Amino acid sequence: MANENGTWIMYGVEWDDPECLHTVRDAINYINEVGFLPLFKNDIPGFSLEERTVPEYWWCGDPKVDPWEWRELIARSGEVAYGKFFEKKAGFISKEWLPFFANYRRDGYDFDALWDDEKASRRQKKIMDCFEKEDELYSNELKLRAGFGKDGEKGFDGTVTDLLMKTYLCVKDFRQRKNKKGEFYGWPIAIYSKPEALWGYDYVTSRYDESPPESGKTIEKHVMDMYPIATAAQIKRLLGGAFGTEVRSKKKKFRQPKEWIIPANPKYYDIVHAFDDETIINWKQGAGIIEGDTVFMYVGAPVSSVLYKCKVIETDIPYEYSDRNLTIKALMKIQLQKKYNPEEFTFEVLKNEYGIAAIRGPRGITNSLSEALN
């Protein structure tokens, strides 16, 4: 924090203070313990990494004791999400708490569904499209690929910050750039990624079965339990949203039926023969899918092709299942309408002719693909 003379003042503790974090491992353990933590001091006293470290060690350049260096190591660890998560400022969210933030901040929307419902900007879409084919991108490379910069789109940093705040992106690492000879140079820069690329789609979206306000109330209660002196206004400023209010059930909005392409992994379910003896089966319900929608089932390797067109005839069927590969909170009932030749809509066809390079969760389809499938 800068004082009236422009001098940067850091708040913290002495090295021998019982609350002092001495190493990056101490910091990771503490973040996992409290669940989420801003990097710098904010309205809630004590709720930051800054206030639990030695002020004199910031920006000293020694990764053993410099919390500024720790943020790079924490992002790289894969144990904690790092990004501009709090008031558009940097902070950390543990793996345990990320699904709560994802459901709350995204309002239950995957990005494709957000775009389909016209709730995402064109600039956000340009950035997120870059991650259809890549799991990670240097910030400068992302800026170039998404068409920002000189003679292109404006507001790259602000658009990325909005996507970080909504948890559609996080900072996976910090690395030096490479020159044409493959040699590293310059300061380390941010490597962006989708949280799903770190921890899997099913895990990141595992709270989608509850309403976003419920996830918000859970976050709020956790902060109040840790910091009883925090007010609802302070929490709202830091975390965003209508904290301090009762959770109200959301009325379902009517919309016209939509078409989705959804993944099916033959390693976990014999989807290839699922419709051999019946035309109606239960399937994991995807976020945003409602009765009346159409789903095209893309079967993963070794098939790697769209095999079925189905009508969704019932949703919100209660079901609880979880293992290290899959989490199911609800089922939908789908009815077979059409089978496709496995050679017709292969992964290569989807990628090269329709621009769909990854199917990790339910996503809308383009008009051209819809016409071909129908």
Side-chain angles (χ1 to χ4, degrees), residues 16-239:
D16 57 358
D17 190 299
E19 293 188 346
C20 182
L21 303 173
H22 300 103
T23 67
V24 66
R25 174 43 59 185
D26 288 346
I28 292 174
N29 291 343
Y30 183 71
I31 294 164
N32 283 325
E33 177 186 341
V34 298
F36 40 93
L37 189 71
L39 181 63
F40 293 118
K41 185 179 183 298
N42 53 81
D43 285 349
I44 302 176
F47 190 37
S48 70
L49 183 65
E50 174 186 345
E51 293 163 278
R52 292 184 177 270
T53 54
V54 178
E56 292 78 13
Y57 289 157
W58 280 80
W59 297 288
C60 72
D62 184 351
K64 292 183 179 180
V65 294
D66 183 352
W68 184 248
E69 298 287 332
W70 291 356
R71 86 195 198 290
E72 297 184 12
L73 301 174
I74 293 171
R76 190 175 303 144
S77 73
E79 297 181 50
V80 172
Y82 175 71
K84 292 184 177 180
F85 298 137
F86 305 100
E87 291 187 286
K88 299 186 177 182
K89 298 176 183 177
F92 311 93
I93 302 175
S94 72
K95 179 180 178 181
E96 178 185 356
W97 278 89
L98 185 67
F100 292 93
F101 276 85
N103 186 44
Y104 180 58
R105 292 279 181 80
R106 298 176 182 183
D107 198 25
Y109 278 93
D110 283 345
F111 185 81
D112 290 327
L114 192 76
W115 171 254
D116 290 341
D117 278 6
E118 300 180 352
K119 294 187 175 185
S121 71
R122 177 174 51 84
R123 291 174 180 175
Q124 291 173 342
K125 180 72 162 58
K126 284 189 169 186
I127 288 174
M128 294 305 295
D129 281 350
C130 295
F131 292 95
E132 290 299 321
K133 298 181 180 179
E134 303 287 349
D135 282 342
E136 61 175 51
L137 285 167
Y138 280 86
S139 58
N140 64 313
E141 186 179 5
L142 176 61
K143 184 176 182 178
L144 182 64
R145 289 196 187 188
F148 287 76
K150 186 178 180 181
D151 300 325
E153 294 282 358
K154 307 298 182 184
F156 174 76
D157 291 337
T159 305
V160 169
T161 296
D162 289 341
L163 292 169
L164 289 165
M165 282 293 295
K166 290 182 171 68
T167 72
Y168 289 119
L169 291 179
C170 65
V171 178
K172 177 182 179 180
D173 199 355
F174 290 84
R175 298 182 204 143
Q176 292 177 294
R177 285 173 282 186
K178 288 184 179 180
N179 60 24
K180 293 181 180 180
K181 297 181 180 180
E183 300 168 334
F184 290 103
Y185 73 95
W187 294 101
I189 64 173
I191 305 291
Y192 291 112
S193 176
K194 296 165 66 174
E196 288 86 342
L198 296 179
W199 295 323
Y201 176 84
D202 286 338
Y203 183 80
V204 173
T205 62
S206 58
R207 305 305 301 189
Y208 274 19
D209 63 309
E210 67 184 23
S211 72
E214 286 178 317
S215 293
K217 291 294 289 185
T218 301
I219 297 169
E220 176 197 23
K221 183 179 183 301
H222 186 65
V223 175
M224 287 185 167
D225 287 344
M226 290 189 299
Y227 300 91
I229 61 173
T231 66
Q234 289 173 330
I235 297 172
K236 181 179 179 180
R237 281 195 297 272
L238 188 66
L239 303 179

Side-chain angles (χ1 to χ4, degrees), residues 314-330:
E314 185 179 350
T315 58
D316 301 320
I317 301 170
Y319 190 80
E320 291 283 342
Y321 177 81
S322 180
D323 61 28
R324 67 187 184 92
N325 298 308
L326 182 65
T327 299
I328 301 176
K329 297 293 186 179

Side-chain angles (χ1 to χ4, degrees), residues 17 146 233 295 356:
D17 190 299
V295 293
I356 296 179

Side-chain angles (χ1 to χ4, degrees), residues 219-283:
I219 297 169
E220 176 197 23
K221 183 179 183 301
H222 186 65
V223 175
M224 287 185 167
D225 287 344
M226 290 189 299
Y227 300 91
I229 61 173
T231 66
Q234 289 173 330
I235 297 172
K236 181 179 179 180
R237 281 195 297 272
L238 188 66
L239 303 179
F243 289 104
T245 61
E246 292 299 319
V247 175
R248 292 174 291 180
S249 60
K250 295 171 65 178
K251 293 182 179 179
K252 290 187 177 180
K253 296 180 180 179
F254 173 80
R255 62 163 172 78
Q256 295 296 325
K258 291 173 56 174
E259 293 180 329
W260 307 79
I261 186 167
I262 63 174
N265 194 329
K267 294 179 181 179
Y268 308 137
Y269 186 84
D270 187 14
I271 185 62
V272 175
H273 299 289
F275 292 105
D276 285 354
D277 301 317
E278 50 193 334
T279 59
I280 297 176
I281 65 171
N282 289 333
W283 195 255

Side-chain angles (χ1 to χ4, degrees), residues 287-303:
I289 298 176
I290 65 173
E291 185 177 333
D293 285 355
T294 297
V295 293
F296 298 95
M297 304 186 74
Y298 172 83
V299 180
V303 180

